[in-house]
């Protein structure tokens, strides 16, 4: 066993970026990301797409068209949807256009694939560019002579016509669908380069939020392992406060044997347990210290001292993205020093920016190739495995593939932060009079996976829109106060599908359900009467019709329950869900038997794919309500696989019906919308079945049985 050089991490240059400029960037809607040890934060650039930029996405030669998709494909089938728009506007057959994922040298910079923005923000400029190209070719002008014409949406066939369309508004063959079924090389894990080696960065068995480094290792034993290539100490292999040790091997299997032979001894500064995380966000503990939170959404003056008709506590745990594909990257330097990087990321341009900054390369000498992503959900936005692959490839002067293990995905990625909610409401004449929602969570957009504490404290001045997402009450009330705290946790937290919208909507819709019960009103009609947005009323009406929700519900078996929830996502898309459940307290089992969803994202480009997105959200909601919780123990995420952090299985998935509501409004996002209603509808159905409100996720049938017993005992006890 040999001592390992104690390589210090570069100190952050706190003065390198002024606080004023940082806050200006944040206020402009930029997600600020910081790579530990770098002299300046790497700020993702977010250019707004327009028709001029879109001209660079579509090419024409010899009667054939190529569309370089400006978005990352990660299962939302944006390859298919944007090809539909292009073919419709160009007036060409499906086979005449090839849709491709580009590299950073083939199109101008576009912003990250996040936020369910692809159709909403990219369909119009693409349609305008295609209309410009179509008109130019008809007039005999070549593509090189084009200037974009910003056609009004009413003149664009692909986005305004409702009849006679060949591609838009209907199901078509999924791009790359056959290739997926046939196992063709679409993902980064499939990349093979001549002379390719395999790498891994070993880290301490602790959260990367805690400072850690290798103190001793058995290098001689590692070198004796067949397939050993190199041991790589490099200060660039720092992830958060975790300084790693790189290893390179000739085969993937040798990596495990080398890691075992090294027997690294780690030093970790600090420790924590699950109880520390729960205490940090405990909303009642925070309310006992101060009646006001640091950040306000609605800030009406209310009397919080008197009695409340509804007083509810909801706790949502830490949860993982659980993407089926662990993140991977392949890096290769050419003889002239040019770097090629193959990445499964939600932002190829950000990866290039970070690699350029960290390795001191010129931007034009780094090319990042986009690949299909096997699940992102916000988790594949930062530069992690990509930097590891580049550093190891530079060290050994050969192509290197790095793919995280499942344990690394759980332990070194960022996760949905836990949140703790206290909701109170007063009613007057059956209507909501006063509403107070106070909650605490951890950072999402200003993630500690990217920002050091000093920089995060600056961003805390303006709050975190990711934490606040979905927390604004979409119902009428005379006085409303919604406020929250953000607290840095000892585990990495960040964007997770829908950001704060899922947990916040669950809390709101649970309290609204209790308000309806207290008012003696039908839960769906109560929402309808209070909704401030006509489109929210519309999806409630449509889901009621589809689910058979009426004033006289049919008789149900013991243990059966029905719940409803609704909401809007980012002020642009709407969903309502009805859930049917069966609760067997003797078997300590909750089973969802049916989910019906009404979904309004405006103009629908591909109904099959929008339904698929809704179904995905419904399953996420089921997991959120009944299954998912990421355990923490011994100063780290304790899960090493899906056995420790389960996701719903196919047998858990009920019959699902999705009703698409398209009344001609402009297209908006579908990727995350239904998550605002799915989990809440299930929780409300369990409440309906048992008469007991689930207050802690995932819902525990055994805990509910005990609570129901206490409630029944109290009801029959003598006064």
């Amino acid at each position: 066993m040999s001592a390992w050089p104690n390589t210090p991490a570069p100190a952050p240059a706190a003065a390198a970026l002024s606080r004023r400029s940082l806050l200006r960037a944040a206020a402009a809607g930029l997600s600020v990301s910081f790579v530990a040890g770098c002299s300046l934060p790497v700020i993702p650039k977010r250019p707004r797409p327009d028709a001029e930029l879109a001209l660079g996405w579509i090419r024409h030669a010899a009667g054939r068209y190529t569309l370089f998709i400006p978005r990352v494909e990660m299962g939302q089938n944006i390859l298919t949807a944007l090809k539909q728009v292009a073919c419709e506007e160009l007036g060409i057959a499906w086979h005449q256009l090839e849709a491709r994922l580009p590299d950073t040298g083939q199109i101008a910079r576009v912003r990250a694939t996040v936020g369910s923005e692809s159709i909403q923000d990219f369909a119009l400029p693409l349609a305008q560019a295609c209309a410009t190209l179509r008109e130019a070719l008809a007039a005999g002008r070549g593509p090189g002579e084009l200037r974009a014409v910003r056609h009004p949406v009413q003149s664009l066939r692909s986005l305004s016509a409702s009849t006679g369309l060949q591609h838009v508004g209907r199901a078509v063959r999924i791009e790359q669908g056959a290739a997926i079924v046939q196992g063709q090389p679409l993902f980064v894990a499939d990349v093979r380069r001549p002379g390719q080696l395999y790498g891994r960065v070993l880290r301490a068995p602790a959260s990367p939020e805690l400072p850690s480094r290798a103190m001793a290792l058995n290098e001689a034993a590692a070198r004796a392992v067949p397939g050993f290539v190199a041991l790589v100490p490099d200060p660039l292999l720092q992830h958060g406060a975790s300084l790693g040790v790189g290893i390179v091997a000739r085969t993937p299997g040798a990596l495990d044997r080398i890691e075992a032979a090294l027997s690294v001894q780690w030093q970790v500064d600090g420790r924590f347990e699950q109880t520390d995380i729960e205490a940090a966000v405990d909303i009642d503990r925070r309310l006992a210290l101060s009646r006001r939170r640091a950040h306000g959404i609605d800030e009406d003056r209310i009397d919080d001292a008197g009695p409340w008709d509804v007083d509810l506590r909801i706790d949502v745990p830490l949860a993982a993205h659980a993407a089926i594909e662990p993140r991977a990257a392949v890096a290769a330097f050419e003889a002239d020093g040019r770097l090629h990087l193959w990445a499964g990321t939600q932002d190829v341009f950000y990866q290039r920016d970070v690699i350029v900054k960290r390795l001191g390369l010129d931007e034009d000498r780094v090319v990042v190739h986009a690949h299909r992503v096997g699940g992102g959900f916000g988790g594949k936005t930062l530069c992690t495995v990509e930097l590891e692959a580049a550093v190891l490839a530079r060290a050994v002067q050969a192509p290197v593939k790095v793919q995280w293990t499942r344990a690394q995905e759980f332990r070194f990625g960022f996760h949905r932060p836990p949140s703790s909610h206290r909701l109170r409401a007063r009613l007057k004449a059956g209507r909501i009079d006063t509403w107070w929602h106070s909650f605490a969570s951890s950072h999402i957009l200003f993630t500690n996976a990217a920002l050091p504490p000093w920089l995060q404290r600056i961003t805390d001045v303006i709050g975190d829109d990711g934490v606040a997402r979905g927390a604004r009450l979409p119902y009428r009330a005379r006085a409303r106060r919604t406020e929250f705290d953000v607290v840095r946790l000892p585990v990495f937290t960040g964007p997770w599908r829908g950001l704060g919208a899922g947990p916040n909507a669950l809390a709101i819709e649970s309290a609204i359900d209790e308000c309806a019960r207290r008012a003696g009103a039908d839960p769906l009609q109560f929402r309808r009467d209070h909704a401030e947005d006509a489109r929210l009323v519309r999806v409630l009406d449509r889901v009621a019709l589809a689910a058979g929700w009426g004033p006289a519900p049919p008789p149900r078996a013991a243990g059966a329950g029905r719940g409803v929830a609704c909401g809007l996502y980012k002020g642009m898309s709407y969903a309502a869900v009805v859930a049917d459940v069966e609760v067997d307290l003797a078997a300590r089992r909750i089973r969802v038997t049916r989910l019906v969803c009404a979904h309004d994202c405006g103009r629908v480009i591909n109904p099959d794919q929008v339904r698929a997105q809704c179904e995905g959200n419904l399953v996420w909601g089921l997991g959120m309500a009944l299954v998912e919780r990421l355990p923490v123990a011994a100063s780290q995420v304790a899960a090493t696989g899906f056995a420790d952090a389960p996701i719903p299985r196919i047998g858990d998935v009920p019959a699902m019906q999705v009703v698409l509501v398209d009344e001609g409004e402009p297209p908006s996002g579908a990727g995350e919308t239904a998550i605002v209603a799915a989990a809440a509808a299930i929780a409300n159905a369990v409440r309906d079945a048992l008469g007991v409100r689930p207050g802690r996720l995932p819902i525990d049938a055994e805990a509910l049985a005990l609570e129901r017993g206490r409630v029944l005992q109290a009801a029959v006890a003598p006064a």
Side-chain angles (χ1 to χ4, degrees), residues 333-388:
F333 283 86
E334 296 179 351
D336 63 358
R338 189 183 303 271
L339 171 63
H340 284 265
L341 184 70
W342 291 264
T345 173
Q346 292 177 239
D347 190 348
V348 291
F349 289 96
Y350 179 69
Q351 302 299 331
R352 183 185 68 183
D353 292 348
V354 173
I355 297 297
V356 164
K357 186 75 175 177
R358 299 304 305 279
L359 271 62
L361 303 174
D362 293 333
E363 184 177 289
D364 60 359
R365 299 180 69 77
V366 177
V367 180
V368 182
H369 302 265
H371 278 259
R372 194 177 185 101
V373 179
F377 319 119
K380 294 177 180 174
T381 47
L382 298 184
C383 185
T384 53
V385 69
E386 298 83 5
L387 179 62
E388 293 175 354

Side-chain angles (χ1 to χ4, degrees), residues 440-572:
S441 186
S442 191
H443 302 80
I444 294 181
L445 294 180
F446 298 120
T447 166
N448 58 342
L451 273 68
W454 69 268
L455 193 51
Q456 199 174 65
R457 282 193 292 272
I458 298 171
T459 66
D460 283 347
V461 174
I462 59 171
D464 189 316
D465 285 345
V467 176
R469 183 167 296 175
R472 189 179 298 278
L473 182 70
Y475 302 106
R476 298 182 185 90
R478 181 189 59 79
R480 298 186 270 203
R481 191 165 90 207
T482 302
E483 54 193 2
F484 65 97
D485 285 340
V486 284
V487 55
R488 189 179 183 106
L489 294 177
V491 291
F492 280 175
T493 63
W496 181 92
R497 192 170 190 171
L499 309 187
N504 292 336
L506 171 92
I508 291 170
E509 287 295 297
S510 296
I512 289 296
D513 216 58
E514 290 301 319
C515 287
R517 292 178 180 280
R518 186 61 184 260
D522 175 83
L524 192 147
Q525 188 62 42
F526 188 83
R527 288 169 170 80
R528 196 181 185 283
D529 291 343
H530 281 81
E532 294 185 314
D533 192 307
R535 291 175 71 177
L536 193 59
V537 172
R538 191 162 70 190
V539 291
L540 281 167
D541 288 345
R542 294 295 294 274
V543 82
L545 181 64
W549 187 294
R556 297 196 300 264
R562 168 170 276 201
V564 64
C566 64
L568 61 159
Y569 184 68
K570 293 176 67 174
M572 63 178 183

Side-chain angles (χ1 to χ4, degrees), residues 30 39 41 303 343 352 363 437 471 513 515 534 562 573 591 611 623 669 703:
L30 299 174
S39 60
D303 176 13
R352 183 185 68 183
E363 184 177 289
H437 180 189
D513 216 58
C515 287
R562 168 170 276 201
S573 300
R591 188 169 73 91
R611 287 192 182 93

Side-chain angles (χ1 to χ4, degrees), residues 71 74 76 111-122 469 497-498 569-570 572-573 601 613 617 667-673:
R71 312 299 282 152
M74 50 185 178
Q76 81 280 41
R111 67 185 185 222
T113 303
V114 295
S116 303
E117 301 169 341
S118 295
I119 293 298
Q120 180 186 31
D121 290 351
F122 287 76
R469 183 167 296 175
R497 192 170 190 171
Y569 184 68
K570 293 176 67 174
M572 63 178 183
S573 300
C601 61
Q613 290 293 294
N617 274 284
S668 55
E672 299 163 296
T673 301

Side-chain angles (χ1 to χ4, degrees), residues 78-161:
I78 197 61
L79 270 167
T80 305
L82 289 183
K83 180 175 178 177
Q84 288 177 268
V85 172
C87 287
E88 196 71 66
E89 207 57 54
L90 290 166
I92 60 175
W94 191 253
H95 70 272
Q96 289 180 264
L97 186 146
E98 179 189 5
R100 296 174 55 186
L101 295 174
D103 63 49
T104 52
Q106 291 174 319
I107 64 172
R109 181 188 296 274
V110 292
R111 67 185 185 222
T113 303
V114 295
S116 303
E117 301 169 341
S118 295
I119 293 298
Q120 180 186 31
D121 290 351
F122 287 76
L124 176 57
L126 174 60
Q128 291 171 329
C130 289
T132 299
L133 177 59
R134 183 193 69 234
E135 292 169 355
L137 293 175
R141 290 183 287 121
E145 309 168 33
L146 297 186
R147 294 294 301 273
V149 178
R150 290 172 173 79
H151 297 80
V153 68
Q154 296 82 0
S155 69
L156 296 169
R157 177 179 175 81
S158 59
L159 299 182
S160 62

